[in-house]
Amino acid sequence: MSNPSVRDTWLLQLLGKRLSEKDLERVAQNALGRSVWEAATDADLLSDDDIAHIVAEWAQVPLAKALFVSPQASRAFPERLARQFCVVPLSVTDSCVEIATANPFDFDCERTLAFATGRCIRMSVASPRRIADKIDLLYSPAQRVAELVMESHGPDRGRDIDSANIEEPDDGVERPVVNLVDHILREGITNGASDIHLEHGEGGISVRYRVDGILREAMVLPRAVGVPLVSRIKIMGQLDIADRLRPQGGRARFPVGKEVVDVRISTLPAAHGEKVVIRILDPRKSRQSLDALGLGNEEEAALQRLLEVREGLILVTGPTGSGKTTTLYAALRQLKERGVNIITVEDPVEYRIPGIVQVQINEKAGLTFASALRSILRQDPDVVLIGEIRDRETAAMAIQASLTGHLVFATLHTIDACSSIVRLTDLGVDAAKLGTALKGVVAQRLLRRLCKRCRVVAPGGVPDRLTTLVPSGSMVQMPLGCTECRQSGFDGRTTAMEVVLTNPDMEHTISNGEGHEKLVQLARTSGARSLWESGVSQMLAGETSPDELLRVLEPEGAAPEMQLSDDDSLPVPCFDDIKVNTDQSTYDSLDEILNGFDRMTKILPGVVDVYVIRLTDGEPRVLVLQRAHNTRCPGAWETVHGNLNPAERPEDGAVRELREETGLSPDRLYNVTVQPFYLHTIGTVQLAIVFAAFVSEFNVILGEEHQQFEWLSVPDAMQRFAWPREREALSQILQLIPGGDAGAVDDVLRVPLKS
């Protein structure tokens, strides 16, 4: 640990709010010559996460949930400074460096880094251990890992290390390869990864994390580490380390803080070495409720109606990784509150749920889905979950169980809800029985959710491929990237869902064995939205982006793209008499023209500024807000300012932003002017629509974006505002609306308020 980690005696004062006097004295004694943070965690009094939350809350800075470092940050930030101050650079822009630190009160660090980088410093909090590990892997990952492994396995760096020497470490002995595997797992879990991929290649071993459905390379390790690394993982999963020629699968448990996380291990022989995939079964996902799945209102209401059924068959369908298990477990947790006997048969059991009997399939022992289901029906179940219907026998047993008074859930792998009905009939299920038993089908996909801290209105509006499929004038949002979302622009996932409830017409259609097209027609007639329609709804609500929607779902009813010949000209909006020459001598292709239009700066009315004024003895007092340290422009003073939501009218956005940022409601609201400003990060001219809000209340409740407020006189407010445009707008407001009344133009400027 670097020197700054032991200069944290200030932490004793903060820990005194959580620890007894005796425990605090114990920490102080154990911290002699080392970090207070480490002394507290080593004594099992608090976890790293506990202390990080305490420090972040006290310093009013965010937690560094994941130490994801942008390539620009690692290149621009010197290793010497990172090690000297024990910080990790997370991102670098032209004006700012975002770092993770265990000591946000180290002003010497802040001043030195600001001077060295020529940028302002923004801080977030992480534990000293995580920071030290990340620094080691950030600046010399391959060399350091190789050195550590070679230290324990010999100096021969020219060939792979024999796996026979890899054993379970003795108690108290830390092997470098064990530390490496622990670090890979811990980073994956901390980053919210669902899977960890280790792949051998000619250039080394690639370690990739699947976060929100997308694989990202985290590090490349030297080839010499390959065999001991895989062997250590096999030992954890109780696999045969000597067998490298056959696929193997196992399971292990890994402690992370106060949680114990199950991981599922799969190995596969490949050309350059064994590929390993580790599925992380985060127990927090099994505790999710249906409310946390991010469903649209219509889909959630339909799903709740489906769960009111007491008997019958409910199917959940979708490809691997579409969230079927999470949805089913959330449904089972809700049904468990009824006091019913729930038994599941799964392959494998992914999450353990207290109060529910879960059966693991073991085909080698003759325990298949069908045989397990026969035994389960003798256990007086009320609700049965079948992990997957794979064959005719299992399908027939599921139908039979649902017709004999049981509520049966089952999964299938089909592209939409109605396809699962066709799939069951293809397996040989009697259509008449299926029509009677089936109560509903749920199909779903997962869409990455836009980070609410950094999402912005898309400057290009709705993409061309979607213009015929969404209401005209719709506003959509796009990802930008910040520390909270690891610069990806996305944070978590939301669900696009199709919920089809059966009715007499559909039951009759299924019993007659009619095809997919007829079933889809009936589903739409009954009001069920398709997966695509559900996804579009999520996009218009600002939950996901157009690109993400098109990545996951296939558009329905999209108009064919217009084909232009060489003689065609592209119309340019607002310039009726200008034609664009598309002659091949001028342009190699039409793509060049279109790309030129894409590079043009867009003008977008997506922001509102609200100047809050309170009259005191006839004199105006102006509300100014100071931005918090964990936001853009930390410490700057400004007026109420924010982005419009998709399809939101500016006046509605002004009232909403006023309430969110100050807790105030306007007595009178005036639309004053429009001000442009340029955002070079996305090549967009934003139009800020300026409002004046006159209020009678003065008790302000600040939102998370601001840390302080003041009611100032007009001259003082003019001086305090950071931006010249704010001073100009305030001056214009006072000229147009002196004394809170616009006089002859009041009927034009004043905005009617909704009751």
Side-chain angles (χ1 to χ4, degrees):
M1 192 66 60
S2 56
N3 289 336
S5 66
V6 301
R7 299 203 306 263
D8 62 354
T9 52
W10 52 268
L11 188 55
L12 289 171
Q13 181 181 356
L14 300 187
L15 298 185
K17 301 178 182 298
R18 291 283 299 273
L19 300 178
S20 66
E21 187 175 340
K22 181 179 179 181
D23 287 338
L24 191 64
E25 184 178 351
R26 177 183 165 195
V27 170
Q29 291 176 349
N30 292 338
L32 295 176
R34 66 179 185 139
S35 164
V36 172
W37 192 310
E38 290 177 333
T41 55
D42 289 348
D44 291 330
L45 297 173
L46 293 167
S47 68
D48 279 331
D49 287 343
D50 292 334
I51 300 177
H53 276 90
I54 293 170
V55 174
E57 183 178 356
W58 186 262
Q60 291 294 297
V61 298
L63 282 170
K65 297 178 182 177
L67 299 184
F68 181 80
V69 180
S70 69
Q72 298 87 347
S74 60
R75 289 194 297 266
F77 200 89
E79 178 182 358
R80 175 182 58 81
L81 291 177
R83 294 192 182 279
Q84 178 183 349
F85 292 104
C86 196
V87 298
V88 173
L90 301 177
S91 67
V92 175
T93 66
D94 291 341
S95 60
C96 185
V97 177
E98 297 190 46
I99 64 171
T101 177
N103 184 359
F105 304 103
D106 190 346
F107 299 113
D108 180 52
C109 164
E110 185 175 1
R111 284 193 299 268
T112 303
L113 295 183
F115 179 79
T117 62
R119 298 171 173 90
C120 69
I121 304 299
R122 295 181 189 170
M123 296 184 176
S124 55
V125 176
S127 71
R129 289 185 180 89
R130 286 183 62 204
I131 290 173
D133 289 345
K134 190 66 177 182
I135 290 173
D136 288 339
L137 285 169
L138 177 62
Y139 289 102
S140 53
Q143 294 86 340
R144 177 167 174 77
V145 170
E147 289 171 5
L148 288 173
V149 175
M150 298 307 174
E151 284 174 9
S152 61
H153 296 288
D156 186 1
R157 298 171 184 248
R159 54 190 176 86
D160 285 351
I161 301 161
D162 187 359
S163 65
N165 295 326
I166 306 296
E167 300 175 354
E168 188 71 25
D170 298 332
D171 291 342
V173 179
E174 290 189 345
R175 295 283 185 86
V177 71
V178 174
N179 292 340
L180 175 60
V181 172
D182 288 353
H183 175 82
I184 291 172
L185 283 169
R186 190 175 294 109
E187 282 293 295
I189 294 168
T190 304
N191 283 322
S194 60
D195 301 270
I196 302 174
H197 290 240
L198 289 84
E199 301 169 358
H200 289 68
E202 293 183 358
I205 301 165
S206 171
V207 179
R208 298 193 292 170
Y209 297 141
R210 186 180 294 279
V211 180
D212 294 339
I214 303 296
L215 277 173
R216 302 175 183 171
E217 186 170 84
M219 64 188 84
V220 177
L221 305 175
R223 285 179 54 84
V225 183
V227 173
L229 184 68
V230 173
S231 296
R232 169 59 188 163
I233 294 172
K234 284 184 173 181
I235 289 171
M236 292 177 63
Q238 298 181 339
L239 306 180
D240 185 354
I241 64 173
D243 188 352
R244 306 181 193 173
L245 302 179
R246 291 185 301 174
Q248 298 186 65
R251 194 173 183 128
R253 309 196 79 190
F254 184 76
V256 179
K258 295 181 179 179
E259 295 274 6
V260 177
V261 177
D262 287 329
V263 296
R264 204 167 70 222
I265 299 167
S266 173
T267 68
L268 180 70
H272 294 287
E274 288 180 280
K275 174 180 170 63
V276 178
V277 175
I278 303 172
R279 166 63 61 88
I280 298 172
L281 305 174
D282 192 334
R284 289 170 294 187
K285 294 183 180 179
S286 70
R287 296 194 289 266
Q288 282 188 339
S289 65
L290 291 174
D291 295 338
L293 299 182
L295 303 179
N297 293 334
E298 293 185 25
E299 285 74 28
E300 185 172 359
L303 188 57
Q304 290 291 355
R305 289 199 301 272
L306 195 55
L307 293 180
E308 293 173 0
V309 174
R310 291 297 189 269
E311 58 186 45
L313 176 64
I314 297 174
L315 297 174
V316 179
T317 183
T320 301
S322 60
K324 299 188 298 295
T325 300
T326 301
T327 299
L328 283 169
Y329 280 13
L332 292 183
R333 288 176 65 85
Q334 180 171 315
L335 293 176
K336 191 177 68 168
E337 302 303 319
R338 297 180 185 172
V340 295
N341 180 21
I342 302 175
I343 304 179
T344 74
V345 51
E346 305 171 64
D347 184 23
V349 174
E350 294 197 2
Y351 304 105
R352 295 175 174 87
I353 306 178
I356 293 178
V357 177
Q358 296 172 274
V359 178
Q360 168 73 55
I361 290 300
N362 187 346
E363 293 187 355
K364 291 182 179 179
L367 186 62
T368 63
F369 278 108
S371 63
L373 192 52
R374 277 192 292 269
S375 300
I376 286 171
L377 294 179
R378 303 188 191 103
Q379 295 288 318
D380 186 32
D382 299 296
V383 180
V384 177
L385 166 63
I386 303 173
E388 184 181 351
I389 294 180
R390 298 175 178 173
D391 51 42
R392 178 178 180 178
E393 185 181 10
T394 306
M397 289 292 298
I399 296 294
Q400 188 63 33
S402 63
L403 290 173
T404 54
H406 304 91
L407 180 58
V408 178
F409 291 88
T411 72
L412 282 171
H413 292 273
T414 57
I415 60 173
D416 61 15
C418 294
S419 295
S420 62
I421 301 172
V422 178
R423 169 66 175 155
L424 286 180
T425 56
D426 288 344
L427 285 175
V429 173
D430 182 82
K433 290 184 177 180
L434 177 59
T436 303
L438 188 64
K439 301 303 178 184
V441 186
V442 176
Q444 66 179 71
R445 299 289 190 278
L446 294 179
L447 299 163
R448 288 184 294 168
R449 179 187 282 118
L450 286 168
C451 175
K452 287 182 168 51
R453 287 181 174 268
C454 65
R455 65 182 180 181
V456 295
V457 177
V462 177
D464 292 341
R465 290 184 66 187
L466 299 178
T467 51
T468 60
L469 304 174
V470 300
S472 60
S474 297
M475 291 174 58
V476 295
Q477 303 210 15
M478 60 176 280
L480 194 59
C482 65
T483 306
E484 287 292 312
C485 62
R486 304 175 294 277
Q487 307 302 324
S488 69
F490 296 93
D491 186 13
R493 288 192 279 185
T494 188
T495 309
M497 182 175 285
E498 177 186 13
V499 184
V500 176
L501 305 178
T502 57
N503 54 38
D505 288 340
M506 183 165 286
E507 180 180 337
H508 179 73
T509 302
I510 295 171
S511 299
N512 289 339
E514 297 194 38
H516 179 267
E517 186 174 341
K518 179 64 174 178
L519 292 170
V520 171
Q521 182 181 350
L522 283 175
R524 300 297 166 263
T525 303
S526 66
R529 294 199 300 190
S530 67
L531 282 169
W532 172 255
E533 291 168 336
S534 176
V536 169
S537 174
Q538 296 278 25
M539 178 191 70
L540 295 179
E543 290 294 310
T544 193
S545 68
D547 288 342
E548 176 66 7
L549 177 68
L550 293 170
R551 182 185 73 85
V552 175
L553 295 171
E554 187 69 26
E556 292 180 355
E561 295 184 5
M562 180 177 63
Q563 300 295 323
L564 298 177
S565 67
D566 291 347
D567 296 330
D568 286 330
S569 297
L570 292 175
V572 182
C574 303
F575 297 90
D576 296 334
D577 56 344
I578 297 179
K579 296 291 183 179
V580 177
N581 181 15
T582 61
D583 187 85
Q584 290 296 322
S585 62
T586 306
Y587 302 103
D588 292 333
S589 68
L590 288 175
D591 289 339
E592 188 172 341
I593 302 172
L594 297 175
N595 288 337
F597 284 127
D598 288 341
R599 289 192 296 269
M600 293 173 62
T601 299
K602 309 295 193 303
I603 299 178
L604 187 68
V607 176
V608 290
D609 284 347
V610 186
Y611 293 81
V612 188
I613 301 171
R614 179 170 59 90
L615 297 176
T616 304
D617 297 329
E619 293 297 322
R621 307 289 289 184
V622 182
L623 179 65
V624 295
L625 308 172
Q626 186 180 39
R627 295 198 64 82
H629 289 301
N630 60 340
T631 63
R632 61 170 176 80
C633 306
W637 291 86
E638 64 177 6
T639 189
V640 172
H641 171 89
N643 293 325
L644 290 171
N645 288 331
E648 185 177 39
R649 292 180 62 86
E651 54 268 32
D652 295 334
V655 174
R656 175 184 53 77
E657 286 289 340
L658 178 62
R659 288 172 179 164
E660 289 178 358
E661 295 188 11
T662 68
L664 300 174
S665 296
D667 297 330
R668 298 185 306 283
L669 184 69
Y670 291 90
N671 173 26
V672 179
T673 187
V674 175
Q675 291 181 319
F677 60 96
Y678 180 60
L679 290 177
H680 70 277
T681 54
I682 56 175
T684 301
V685 173
Q686 288 269 11
L687 293 183
I689 303 175
V690 177
F691 292 90
F694 287 84
V695 300
S696 54
E697 293 290 329
F698 59 88
N699 292 322
V700 175
I701 302 174
L702 291 177
E704 60 181 11
E705 295 181 21
H706 300 100
Q707 62 186 359
Q708 190 177 348
F709 74 92
E710 289 188 41
W711 290 100
L712 299 178
S713 65
V714 172
D716 289 342
M718 290 279 196
Q719 189 174 9
R720 190 71 62 88
F721 280 139
W723 303 103
R725 67 181 181 84
E726 292 177 312
R727 294 189 283 273
E728 294 171 5
L730 181 58
S731 176
Q732 190 170 358
I733 288 170
L734 296 174
Q735 291 176 14
L736 284 171
I737 320 171
D741 188 340
V745 295
D746 195 85
D747 60 331
V748 176
L749 298 182
R750 189 164 176 175
V751 178
L753 295 173
K754 297 178 181 178
S755 57

